[in-house]
Amino acid sequence: MRFKIDHDLHIHSYLSTCCSKPEQNPENIMAHAKKSGFHKICLTDHFWDSDVPGAPKWYAEQDYAHICEAKPLPQDENVEFLFGCETELNSDFELALTLEHFDNFDFVIIPTTHMHMKNVVVKKEDFESVEKRSQLWVDRFDAVLNMPLPFHKVGIAHLTCEYLGFPSYENFITALQMIPDSEMERLFTKVAELGAGIELNGDCMLQAIEMPDILLRPYRIAKQCGCKFYFGSDAHSNENLVKFFDAMEKVIDLLGLEETDKFEFARMDI
Ligand SMILES: [Zn+2]
Ligand SMILES: [Zn+2]
């Protein structure tokens, strides 16, 4: 059976400081999910655990008490609304969420590609180099996979995110092309063994259908290696909750995704 978009595991609310829309609240997100026929959605506001030092001020403000303001999340007989977070991986490859605190979340999104954040994510001396960014894509991903995490509830976010080549789109394409298939195969084989989910991110998929040979390559390799996928709109507003559907449908065709390729956590029966 063809892969169905019946879930969205990466959604921000107004509690993320990068989201400026007060109407992006749990009630409206739930209303959208019902309309779209989703069975499972997850709130994943940005989060930096206060037990992990080094957060810049704006990140530190998005602590546990802050993101918990969204709770209790509305529930519906057809839609399960889970509480998760999008944490961070700092420039020393340390996760901004302690292992003990994974229990506070149903699902945790780990972004390795927020490379627009100088010092926080990419060291100052590496910031200008496309070669270094390309290597960081590999090394940061690898670092996460070497952690003792509960991978069955971990999603690897937006791997083909434009931030990889910040500040230019050209850098992004070049940095991605510099990563050999063999490195991707090594990483995605690990992902498949560990059981983490690979995100099909809304913005990434919109870009990918314009340049599928380059931008879908990691996902093609991931699929060959046995990785499982989930959809994450990464929506910061209500409009963005729906604008990715057409692109996602094309990507499902281009990758030939079936229901059996779906991340177990995103499945109806879990
Ligand atoms: Zn992100
Ligand atoms: Zn996000």
Side-chain angles (χ1 to χ4, degrees):
M1 200 166 75
R2 191 174 179 274
F3 187 102
K4 232 173 116 185
I5 311 167
D6 54 7
H7 61 278
D8 184 348
L9 300 185
H10 187 161
I11 307 174
H12 293 271
S13 78
Y14 68 93
L15 291 167
S16 288
T17 50
C18 51
C19 173
S20 55
K21 307 268 170 93
E23 67 275 15
Q24 180 70 349
N25 56 42
E27 288 69 31
N28 284 338
I29 293 168
M30 173 56 98
H32 159 75
K34 282 167 72 171
K35 223 169 21 188
S36 307
F38 288 175
H39 70 83
K40 193 180 267 190
I41 56 173
C42 188
L43 193 67
T44 53
D45 280 313
H46 292 291
F47 173 65
W48 191 303
D49 195 330
S50 49
D51 280 3
V52 179
K57 187 174 171 290
W58 63 271
Y59 235 140
E61 285 166 0
Q62 300 177 83
D63 62 6
Y64 189 61
H66 176 76
I67 60 171
C68 279
E69 284 173 34
K71 296 210 282 188
L73 294 173
Q75 299 296 327
D76 180 86
E77 56 178 336
N78 297 315
V79 190
E80 191 182 4
F81 200 163
L82 302 171
F83 182 71
C85 70
E86 178 176 7
T87 186
E88 190 54 88
L89 185 72
N90 73 15
S91 60
D92 290 321
F93 298 4
E94 291 159 349
L95 205 60
L97 171 62
T98 65
L99 192 53
E100 301 76 59
H101 289 166
F102 267 73
D103 288 347
N104 291 333
F105 301 97
D106 297 315
F107 183 62
V108 174
I109 283 188
I110 302 181
T112 57
T113 51
H114 284 164
M115 295 198 209
H116 55 302
M117 294 188 212
K118 200 183 206 166
N119 292 332
V120 181
V121 167
V122 180
K123 289 185 193 297
K124 203 165 58 189
E125 60 269 29
D126 296 335
F127 201 70
E128 307 298 330
S129 163
V130 182
E131 288 80 9
K132 191 70 197 179
R133 282 169 175 272
S134 179
Q135 189 59 48
L136 280 172
W137 187 95
V138 173
D139 293 346
R140 289 171 57 79
F141 193 176
D142 214 4
V144 171
L145 301 179
N146 288 332
M147 292 175 185
L149 306 180
F151 284 105
H152 66 280
K153 61 174 205 177
V154 167
I156 307 293
H158 46 56
L159 280 168
T160 52
C161 162
E162 210 176 320
Y163 291 143
L164 164 64
F166 189 83
S168 87
Y169 192 77
E170 241 170 58
N171 282 357
F172 158 54
I173 299 299
T174 308
L176 199 63
Q177 283 181 301
M178 287 171 77
I179 305 161
D181 283 2
S182 57
E183 280 295 72
M184 290 195 184
E185 282 160 14
R186 182 176 66 79
L187 292 163
F188 287 122
T189 300
K190 265 196 207 181
V191 173
E193 282 166 12
L194 294 166
I198 295 294
E199 181 172 291
L200 300 170
N201 177 279
D203 267 327
C204 291
M205 295 308 116
L206 266 184
Q207 290 174 349
I209 56 170
E210 303 298 326
M211 236 187 268
D213 288 350
I214 297 169
L215 296 179
L216 286 182
R217 178 174 66 110
Y219 307 101
R220 278 204 190 93
I221 295 174
K223 185 180 173 229
Q224 281 159 14
C225 294
C227 289
K228 304 293 178 187
F229 303 88
Y230 68 91
F231 171 63
S233 67
D234 205 353
H236 289 63
S237 69
N238 260 242
E239 307 85 72
N240 281 1
L241 285 164
V242 291
K243 79 171 191 188
F244 306 115
F245 283 1
D246 290 349
M248 261 304 290
E249 292 295 350
K250 279 191 193 131
V251 166
I252 290 167
D253 287 339
L254 287 166
L255 294 176
L257 292 180
E258 300 285 325
E259 271 296 293
T260 48
D261 297 310
K262 191 174 277 179
F263 183 39
E264 205 173 330
F265 189 87
R267 295 170 83 93
M268 176 87 88
D269 45 9
I270 301 296

